[in-house]
Structures are given as structure tokens and as C-alpha cells.
């Protein structure tokens, strides 16, 4: 069983800077391309390629790489060491990571109001439908399912992907 990096280790390693060579090691493990790695690390492909393998990454890129390593370790644990299954899961659009474009537009320009006006965790969420546009049978807005890989360009995305892995691990899929 692999040991998953504790958060305190991620913080201290990120502050020191992770060596560029680890980018290639982690990418190779689950078959991520240079373009995908650059996006995850919030770097240009040219910037990623321009770094020597013994060069340390910035704090931000190091943190993202360590979060990816942690996610990969957890994923390998969940998928019984099967890197091929983890690679497929990373690229599979999931309802749990669904995105409603009009929801983002409706929040533009809004200042947060009083806490009691912000809703409740107990209020039911509308039904999740496919990424297809609404039909004549429903008034529900379209939902765009995203893959875990698609959300790894943000730190919040890493958290969401880990949550989904946790649900899979506990048998709470869907």
C-alpha cells in the first residue's frame, strides 16, 4: 500500500521547490501529456520544456505538482494499483463535476449578501441531467460534465477530484 503525502509534507516540499524531473515521473505514471501537465501546473509548455530536470519549480507549480502526486497516489490506491484505470478515470466526464455555464453568469456582479440569504446545505439541488441541451420535456438548463483532469487547473479542482475518489473508495458512486 502506498503512503499518501500528508498536507504538511506538501507545504514544506512546495516551499523548498520540487525538482522539474518529478513532473516527467508523475506524468509518465498515468500517461499525462506535456500540454496537460503544463495546464495543471499553470505554466506554458515552453516554460515547462525550458526548465532543466535539476531545476526547482516555483512554489505555486511545486504545490500543484505535489497535489497531483497526492491525487495519483490516492487514485492508485482506489483503483488497486491500476494506472490504466486511473488514467481513464482522469479523462472521463463525471456528473459529480458537472458545470452549469449560466450559473456562473448569474453570479457576475453580485456582492455577497447576509449569510442567511445564501441558502442552506439542506436545500435540494436540482436534478443532474446530461450535457445535452434542454429538450421540450424539461426546463432544466444544460449541464456540462467535466473530467477530473479538466478541473485540475485550480486548487479547488484537486479537492473536488479527491472527494470523488473518496466516494468511489467508499462505494458511493453517482
Amino acid at each position: 500500500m502506498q503512503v499518501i503525502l500528508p498536507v504538511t509534507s506538501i507545504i514544506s516540499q512546495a516551499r523548498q521547490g520540487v525538482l522539474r524531473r518529478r513532473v516527467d515521473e508523475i506524468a509518465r505514471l498515468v500517461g499525462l501529456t506535456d500540454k496537460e501537465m503544463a495546464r495543471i501546473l499553470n505554466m506554458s509548455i515552453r516554460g515547462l520544456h525550458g526548465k532543466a530536470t535539476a531545476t526547482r519549480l516555483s512554489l505555486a507549480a511545486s504545490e500543484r505538482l505535489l497535489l497531483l502526486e497526492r491525487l495519483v497516489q490516492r487514485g492508485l490506491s482506489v483503483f488497486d494499483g491500476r494506472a490504466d484505470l486511473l488514467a481513464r478515470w482522469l479523462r472521463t466526464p463525471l456528473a459529480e463535476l458537472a458545470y452549469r455555464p449560466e450559473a456562473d453568469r448569474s453570479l457576475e456582479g453580485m456582492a455577497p449578501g447576509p449569510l442567511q440569504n445564501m441558502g442552506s446545505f439542506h436545500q435540494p439541488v436540482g436534478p443532474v441531467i446530461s450535457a445535452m441541451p434542454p429538450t421540450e420535456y424539461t426546463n432544466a438548463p444544460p449541464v456540462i460534465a467535466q473530467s477530473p483532469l479538466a478541473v485540475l487547473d485550480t486548487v479547488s479542482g484537486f479537492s473536488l477530484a479527491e472527494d470523488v475518489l473518496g466516494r468511489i473508495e467508499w462505494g458511493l458512486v453517482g
Side-chain angles (χ1 to χ4, degrees):
M1 181 175 177
Q2 271 187 332
V3 176
I4 296 174
L5 285 174
V7 174
T8 53
S9 175
I10 290 173
I11 293 168
S12 64
Q13 287 184 54
R15 286 178 177 159
Q16 293 172 14
V18 177
L19 294 177
R20 160 64 174 92
R21 82 173 124 247
R22 279 179 72 183
V23 173
D24 297 329
E25 293 167 4
I26 294 167
R28 197 173 17 251
L29 199 58
V30 288
L32 296 174
T33 65
D34 286 347
K35 185 177 180 178
E36 290 167 333
M37 289 301 294
R39 184 174 173 273
I40 291 168
L41 299 176
N42 198 20
M43 300 175 72
S44 69
I45 296 173
R46 178 177 274 171
L48 183 60
H49 282 232
K51 293 197 178 296
T53 57
T55 304
R56 295 197 180 276
L57 299 174
S58 69
L59 185 140
S62 293
E63 180 180 34
R64 288 169 178 267
L65 183 64
L66 292 165
L67 288 171
L68 178 62
E69 183 176 26
R70 178 184 164 108
L71 183 73
V72 167
Q73 289 171 344
R74 177 104 185 259
L76 287 172
S77 173
V78 168
F79 293 112
D80 297 325
R82 300 265 319 264
D84 60 322
L85 291 179
L86 176 58
R88 191 166 57 195
W89 175 81
L90 283 168
R91 290 179 172 85
T92 302
L94 304 173
E96 292 96 330
L97 302 176
Y99 161 67
R100 290 182 174 84
E102 72 288 336
D104 287 348
R105 284 192 298 272
S106 69
L107 295 176
E108 289 177 2
M110 285 182 55
L115 188 57
Q116 58 266 51
N117 294 345
M118 291 186 179
S120 165
F121 287 111
H122 302 292
Q123 293 174 339
V125 176
V128 174
I129 60 171
S130 71
M132 297 176 58
T135 67
E136 60 190 8
Y137 302 110
T138 179
N139 290 328
V143 174
I144 301 169
Q146 299 181 101
S147 68
L149 192 57
V151 300
L152 296 183
D153 60 336
T154 66
V155 174
S156 299
F158 280 99
S159 179
L160 287 172
E162 282 221 26
D163 288 348
V164 174
L165 277 176
R167 289 196 296 273
I168 294 170
E169 188 173 34
W170 286 94
L172 303 173
V173 181

